[in-house]
Amino acid sequence: MNMTIIISVIAYIILAPIVGGLLAGIDRKISARMQGRVGPSILQPFYDMFKLMEKEAITVNKAQDFYVGCFLFFIIVTGGFFFAGLDLLLVIFTLTLASVFLIVAAFSSNSPYAQIGAERELLQMMAYEPMVLITAAGLYLVTGSFNISDIINPENGMAIKFLPGIFLGFVFILTIKFRKSPFDLSMSHHGHQELVKGLTTEFAGKTMALIEIAHWYENIFLLGIVFLFIANGTVWGAVAAVVVCLVTYFIEILIDNSYARMKWQIAINSSWIVAITLGFINMLVIYFSKFVL
Amino acid sequence: MSTITFLILFPLLSAIALLVLRTDAARGVIVKVSATLIAVASIYLAYQYFGIGEEYFDFANETVNLGMTVIEVLLAIMIIYLGIKYKKYLASVLAAIQTPTMIWFEVKVGHHIHVTNNLYVDRLSIIMVLIIGIIGSIITVYALGYMKDFQHHHKDQPDRRPFFFFIMYLFLGAMCGLVLSNNIVWLYFFWEITTLCSFFLIGYTKTEEAINNSFRALIMNLLGGVGFVIAIVIMGSSLGTLELNQLIMMGMFGVPAVTYVAALLAFAGITKAAQMPFNSWLLGAMVAPTPTSALLHSSTMVKAGVFLIIKLAPLLGWQSLAGIMVMMVGGITFIMASFAAVSQSNAKKVLAYSTVANLGLIVACGGIGTYAAVWAGILLIIFHAITKSLLFLCVGTAEHNIGSRDIEDMDGLFTRMPKLATYMIVGISAMFLAPLGMLVSKWAAMKAFIDNGGVLLVMFIAFGSAATLFYWTKWLGKMVAIMANRENIQSGVNKDENFVLSTLTILTVIVCLIFPLISKTMIVPYLIKAFPYVDPKHMILALSSTNMTIMVIMLFVLIVLPILFFGRTNKKIVPIYLAGANLGDDLTFRGAMEKEVPVSLKNWYMEGYFGEKKMNVIGVIATVVIITGVFAILLGGVL
Amino acid sequence: MGKRTIIPFGPQHPVLPEPVHLDLVIEDETVVEAIPSIGFIHRGLEKLVEKKEYTEMVYVIERICGICSFGHGWGYCLSVEGVMGVEIPERANYLRTIWHELSRMHSHLLWLGLLADGFGFESLFMHCWRIREKVLDIFEKTTGGRVIFSVCKVGGVRKDIDEATLKEISSVVDGMKKELKELADVFLEDYSVKNRLCGVGYLSKEDAAELAAVGPMARASGLKQDMRLLGHGVYDKLGFEPCIETAGDSYARCKVRIREVFQSIDLIIKAIEMIPDGDISVPVKGNVPANECVVRLEQPRGEAFYYAKGADSKFLERMRVRTPTNQNIPAMVKTLQGCDLADVPMLILTIDPCISCTER
Amino acid sequence: MEDLRETVIIPVTASELYSKVSDLNEDGYRLVQACCTKVSEGFEIIYSFDKEHELLNLKLTIPEEEEIMSITGITWSAFIYENEMQDLFGVKFKHMSLNYGGHFFKVSQPTPWNPKN
Amino acid sequence: MSYVTKSPWLIHYDGSSCNGCDIEVLACLTPMYDVERFGIINTGNPKHADIFLITGAINEQNKAVVKQIYEQMPEPKVVIAVGICATSGGIFKECYNIMGGTDTVIPVDVYVPGCAARPEAIIDGVVKGLGVLAKKKEAMEKGLPIDTAKGKEKEEA
Amino acid sequence: MAAFKIGKVVLRSLFKKPATLMYPVVPRKWEERTRGHIDININDCIFCGICARKCPTNAITVDRNKKSWTIERMQCIQCTHCVDLCPKHCLSNENTYTTPEVEKVVDLHVAPPEEPKPASDDTNKDSVEKKNA
Ligand code: NFV
Ligand code: SF4
Ligand code: SF4
Ligand code: SF4
């Protein structure tokens, strides 16, 4: 048991950036094709990252790099906890910690676009946080444990059977987490936007590269949560879960290319409404069937 | 036993001394010495009863009872007088109802009930005493420097510092009494004293606003007091006991009348803990000098309310109407106050709302009434007391050095006052970030809510914590912002203040580090006693020991990381991006009409979404409906 | 006020390809004050009339702007022709109209793309610009330039389009309709797009008149105002009627422009059907008499104003171009009040700003 | 529909300009443009107004030093033209409602159309 | 190998161009020309950019802006002047408000002629710029002052 | 509520061949009228200087004595005004553009010496010299 944990954590730490980077590359390729263009090479994200590493080292103050480093570190820790099968809430809180580091890094630069980006990022966090917690609560109610190692081996089958609403809600907020249109408010990976580069305006060179890597880690971890909904402890379940993860990712790309960027009001209204309707009703049903029936 | 007496009476002596000896030097010595003694005594008390865990004392003494009654009457007369003088007749009316009822009860019923144990010590009260003794007294030390500055800033007002310190110390004594009394009448007595202390301190500056707010606080607390009195009357007349432990025991055996008593006491607790619909008094209390806010209105006095509710927790829970009332009121208060905090830029108001919200969380935990919830509640009390007082004091210092308590004016504090900013960063992080204290307890609370709280409470906590995240992080953002070219004014900070702030900061971190220990040696044993029907072996805590260990390790990492890496970069420092119009100093850009426009970066407040008024109205209506509903049902049961 | 954020918006800013600057004062994300500042692109090219002969000046005037370049050339030629009293052949008038309408198509498609980019709809941006390339190909084929044509000259046009090419143009633009329809649907019906456009940047009919808005900006607020009604080119022969919308918001402005793209296609097809044979220019010689002439022309962005004053020499005494964007700036400033920060680029875009036109 | 070639130009004097413009404004005319030409007598300023596609031009000739009344009080959008004239020619206006104070076009040399030296 | 040539991000600033070159620069990003094939992204942020595409001539007003953008770009970086205006001031050279081409304020590495410069020419120019970029990167690694690596003339010398 | 309005276009594009022209891998074919660069048949030129005087950007310099015709490539805006005006029609518009360079390009064309020579002599070709600005 212990051995598998160590292996999966190490596998995560090594493979996640590779898979995450590839996914990002595929994302860019598919997006380009959807826009009628050829698009970059699939390895482009890696080129970008190495390029950033090679650039001259500049920063706007001495504190920023520390915060960004912490961001990356705790994102890795988050994923590590996740793949070690630890408590889901612990994982979520660590993720929050990591995200706060990113925001703090942006705030520390005291620069307009970074600050507004940080403010919007914060708003996005406020928007998706309830749904994330509800997701954890839902998984807990269905599987009776917060431990991820228990959640992936549920006793009564795939969690999604009981949590269709929560699953949809989670996919909804994934759009925010993946920084996809219509909710790429605080920074967008490609292209230019009204906030210049938002949150990342003041990060250059290596610092920016770290952020890219962190995003790859984060994306894999988020797909890991999608995985939880499908996994049922069997091999075919795992395969199905991976397929669902990929389909989810594709849908996110499609959404990215099919929507205008919305304003923050919509971001918070819609995600809270989703959390209240899908999340709440789903929970209500579970509570009802669990405690009343 | 003697330690207890010391803890209750010694502060009183200091108080009188402070009132009499009016020079700065004498005050300094008295405060520092008494603070040390009280702190030492509280630690000694903890040490004394550490192994024993719980002990009850007779301490029966008719003169004490008589003395209390006399004081009560005097106080009532004073309130009635003040109420009339300031045309706040409601206060007079409430006092005129409360005290005569109490005296009538004493004479008719109370007199005949034999109280075996007037005082007691258990692990919960030890925790409370430690908070009062250490945090409380250290705040009074801080107040020395602060009040000097304060007087400096308010030269127009007469120097009333002797009175101020008198009340502060009086309060410390009363607070100790409150958490150590087993006799509910005594408890009530101390309860009223703290109400009055708060009243005087809120009205300290004697401005119109201060007086209005102090009366609002008084009236609301007296309302709770009325509830308290009725509870005592019912308790005495139908249960025939005046002892808290008896009451709880009876409750567990299902004596029906206990429900009423519990509901009424919980109501009193709700008023004192400034839960909605009574939260407005705490907000108003922010006019008081900052040490007051730190001591009374965040770390201790308001905790009296939640202390009582936590005490009663075994009687609450879903099976009791009182429990449902308490958890709903707590839950609603948590979410609404958290939302309202988003729209505030006045640092003290943010802290006040956050206090209300956290008390709401504790109250809700008490309302759920399971051991896991209570575990979370007690942890919340501890962490909140330390961290909040730290934050309040930081704001006080900031205010005196930069001239504003508005968060938006704390621009570039990291450059101007690096130490203070660091304390604040620690304090703010401790309020909501992962391995630190408050989050641990919030996590436990969340688990308790999911397990026993029902869907609604889960929603409350999910949304409430999202808002919490928002308002703390944006404040944190202001703190970390590094603004080049600002003058460093850290050295202007008073030495005492600095000492207190650093102590509290260290304390915050230490408590976060040793909380598994606190849980193991203090809270769990208390829970085993308080929930005798739960098999200790099956007591699964919200946080498994693995999780606690991970938390502590994470915290270590978080302490080590900055020491190793913070600011260690040899990168080239370049100017910030200002759309190509940076004038070079990172603070101004070339604006329209060729003006040099200073950049100004402010946070979001989202008035439209989280306006204070709106949140209060919703919260008040919801809680009023719940409270009146519950009491209506209870009353219906009686009739 | 404590909660006001003051930031610079531009001169360098990725969503606006052109440098404008705003001192933005915002609260949360609501703009409470926006002080515009321009002047980054001012070249002072009108003053070149002192150095360039009137025949060369057309190349300068064309380069006021690379988007509405043809219209500028036309406006200049019209005004000089007016001063000199030159009549140009009918075929030249037709050709000018065709090119002008093609320019309008390219300009509007460009704008639609930029607008999509402004609200972060990348794929829509890409598809708009993909379609726009077809118009540019026509330009390349008929004039030899993609954005700057250099085909107008005083006295007519420099290049003719042969019959076969005209047919081809006709079928190409007709063929664009289908693809345009799909994109128009997205702009006009997609939920997310409508959400960003509807009700944003409202300008009432009264305000539009008061602030003297021109072009699609005015037409979207219900003003019937289109200089094509004045009768330059062959618009009267083509039976032109302006597109009017009444809602006055960004959505209406978008809709006007989309309708105008389709209208332009129809006008082009019709003009190609009706084009007569004949010369494409008349020779113009000699000095420009001391006379003055005012011409107004409907550019893609609205009414442009040309004033030429001769001085009985080869050099004009004064050439004045007043462009539609210039006229729309007050309206833009007005719509910016109270909008969201996210809408700022969008609102700036909805007047379809062309700063190089404005500042010359 | 007006004839394209016909340019209606009505001469006005500086003193009657303001009332003329406000009459036009009341009649529902909108400001189309204002432009200045440097002539030997000083400045020649043309104000153009439009009502339902009818164009009306007011021509004002003033000596270089004369200060004239700003019409921004009547039609605010004139601020663009007045600032432009101020920056490029050095025409002086009284009571401009929005005065960029010479920083509208931000030219490197002052009043390039009317060089001072 | 240097990755900077595989992922050149660009920033575009419009000096005082007529928009003709601007829209051609934008056109490069769109489906027909799609420079993202070469890994090029239009980042609007000088701090992320490797290539500075500048269109239009320099005047007194944008001098400081152009300079600032250039200075905020981290090394290695190249400047590509797109269009006749940016290379020499072009048709506006004699205007009173024009100071001249881009090279009057910052060193230019590649000149792309054309009025307007065609997208193909811009692509050619960027490709040429990549060569310069690689050389600068090399110089940077060797610790040489970067400006000495500035292109052809020094190479020949 | 119409969502995914662009879905059809986007999905179709995903499976269709992209619209990209693939320049420079696939060279671009130019239209006949494409205004690329100005070329001169120096043999016909009479060095009258009209082109130089009328060029709106003064890109051309003509030296009657040296019999040279010079064009600053980075100054010419391809308006073809000179082509129109040349009395000898020796200027022409070529449809290939001047390639981007790291230096400003100036092309100097000098007429061949005037002694009559056999037509096949290759000195008849104009000598083009590139030099740096
Ligand atoms: N249409 C147009 Fe222009 C003109 N005239 C305008 O503002 O684009 Ni550059
Ligand atoms: S080179 Fe020509 S097309 Fe490009 S900006 Fe200058 S004038 Fe416009
Ligand atoms: S106009 Fe023709 S003939 Fe005269 S110099 Fe120029 S190229 Fe030679
Ligand atoms: S094409 Fe135009 S700019 Fe070029 S040389 Fe000829 S006249 Fe001059």
Side-chain angles (χ1 to χ4, degrees), chain C residues 65-68 72 107 299-302 304 306 323-326 352 354 356-358, chain E residues 19:
Chain C
C65 172
I67 304 174
C68 51
H72 282 307
S107 172
Q299 287 272 41
R301 288 154 187 75
Y306 301 85
T323 59
T325 303
N326 201 329
D352 198 352
C354 180
S356 49
C357 272
T358 310
Chain E
N19 266 342

Side-chain angles (χ1 to χ4, degrees), chain A residues 56-67 70 73-74 77 81 86-87 89-90 93-94 96-97 100-101 103-105 107-113 115-116 119-120 122-123 125-127 129-131 133-134 136-137 140-141 146-147 196 201-202 204-207 264-266 268-269 271-273 275-277 279-281 283-284 287 291, chain B residues 339 342 411-412 414 425 432-435 439 442-443 446-447 449-456 458-459 461-463 465-471 473-474 476-478 480-484 542 544 546-547 550-551 554 557-558 561-563 565-579 586-587 599 601-604 606 609-610:
Chain A
E56 185 191 18
I58 57 171
T59 178
V60 293
N61 61 47
K62 285 181 172 270
Q64 200 178 58
D65 280 353
F66 169 73
Y67 298 128
C70 286
F73 176 75
F74 282 104
V77 169
F81 284 170
L86 293 177
D87 193 304
L89 284 177
L90 173 72
F93 293 141
T94 317
T96 308
L97 174 72
V100 168
F101 267 116
I103 293 174
V104 159
F107 266 120
S108 82
S109 59
N110 200 53
S111 139
Y113 292 99
Q115 146 113 9
I116 297 173
E119 215 72 55
R120 287 198 186 170
L122 207 44
L123 180 105
M125 279 179 80
M126 180 158 74
E129 195 74 8
M131 194 60 227
L133 290 175
I134 289 171
Y140 171 72
L141 287 172
F146 273 117
N147 276 345
V196 188
T201 304
E202 298 298 343
K206 284 196 189 61
T207 322
W264 64 269
Q265 292 92 334
I266 300 279
I268 185 155
N269 289 353
S271 36
W272 278 23
I273 288 172
I276 289 176
T277 49
F280 184 64
I281 292 172
M283 291 258 277
L284 215 56
Y287 262 97
F291 296 110
Chain B
F339 283 172
V342 172
D411 272 321
F414 199 81
I425 290 171
F432 77 111
L433 277 184
L439 190 105
K442 210 171 255 172
W443 176 358
M446 196 175 293
K447 243 171 179 171
F449 282 16
I450 296 172
D451 274 330
N452 293 86
V455 193
L456 216 49
V458 175
M459 294 311 256
I461 196 156
F463 283 89
S465 18
T468 313
L469 183 72
F470 188 82
Y471 69 80
T473 315
K474 72 182 188 191
L476 190 63
K478 274 268 116 128
V480 297
I482 292 174
M483 261 173 156
S544 66
T546 335
N547 285 339
I550 291 173
M551 283 277 161
M554 257 168 93
V557 172
L558 266 187
L561 280 181
I563 294 173
F565 299 113
F566 190 82
R568 308 265 163 102
T569 170
N570 41 17
K571 291 188 175 179
K572 192 167 107 197
I573 308 262
V574 295
I576 60 171
Y577 172 82
L578 284 178
D586 287 356
L587 297 174
V599 181
L601 300 175
K602 303 295 172 200
N603 280 319
W604 283 21
M606 300 202 273
Y609 277 70
F610 302 115

Side-chain angles (χ1 to χ4, degrees), chain E residues 121-135:
Chain E
I122 298 174
I123 293 177
D124 288 347
V126 170
V127 170
K128 214 164 209 128
L130 293 184
V132 182
L133 205 55
K135 272 193 211 105

Side-chain angles (χ1 to χ4, degrees), chain C residues 52-53 55-56 59-60 63 121 123-124 127 130 137 140-146 148-150 158-161 182-183 185-186 189-192 314, chain F residues 1-6 8-10 12-13 16 19 21 28 30-31 33-36 53-58 77-82 84-85 93:
Chain C
K52 308 282 169 210
E53 289 176 15
T55 43
E56 291 154 26
Y59 304 110
V60 177
R63 283 165 176 80
F121 204 148
S123 49
L124 192 54
H127 285 291
R130 178 173 59 78
D137 286 345
E140 175 100 53
K141 189 162 176 141
T142 56
T143 73
R146 278 164 53 88
I148 303 227
F149 314 152
S150 303
R158 291 171 72 192
K159 282 173 184 148
D160 200 355
I161 310 180
E182 284 177 338
L183 295 189
D185 272 358
V186 182
E189 269 152 51
D190 190 78
Y191 170 75
S192 63
K314 283 216 180 288
Chain F
M1 187 167 92
F4 273 115
K5 265 278 162 188
I6 204 176
K8 209 170 75 196
V9 178
V10 164
R12 187 181 344 112
S13 309
K16 234 176 52 182
L21 296 173
R28 176 80 190 243
W30 299 107
E31 301 290 340
R33 283 184 183 177
T34 298
R35 293 200 310 274
R53 250 174 293 131
K54 300 283 179 174
C55 170
T57 62
N58 309 335
I77 56 169
Q78 301 97 38
C79 60
T80 63
H81 195 47
C82 51
D84 286 6
L85 293 183
N93 163 51

Side-chain angles (χ1 to χ4, degrees), chain D residues 1-40:
Chain D
M1 221 175 276
E2 71 178 318
D3 180 2
L4 209 54
R5 298 291 163 79
E6 195 184 322
T7 303
V8 188
I9 296 183
I10 307 165
V12 290
T13 63
S15 50
E16 60 185 21
L17 173 75
Y18 195 82
S19 59
K20 228 8 195 263
V21 172
S22 59
D23 288 349
L24 285 176
N25 191 49
E26 232 126 85
D27 276 2
Y29 277 86
R30 71 181 165 93
L31 177 69
V32 170
Q33 68 98 30
C35 82
C36 180
T37 310
K38 175 84 183 81
V39 290
S40 48

Side-chain angles (χ1 to χ4, degrees), chain F residues 91-112:
Chain F
L91 293 177
S92 61
N93 163 51
E94 299 300 320
N95 61 6
T96 50
Y97 56 81
T98 316
T99 50
E101 287 301 338
V102 293
E103 290 299 327
K104 294 188 189 170
V105 188
V106 176
D107 285 358
L108 171 71
H109 298 252
V110 186

Side-chain angles (χ1 to χ4, degrees), chain E residues 1-24:
Chain E
M1 156 164 118
S2 148
Y3 285 96
V4 79
T5 55
K6 292 206 150 199
S7 144
W9 291 358
L10 58 86
I11 181 171
H12 164 220
Y13 183 72
D14 170 358
S16 62
S17 101
C18 77
N19 266 342
C21 290
D22 289 345
I23 56 178
E24 295 294 54

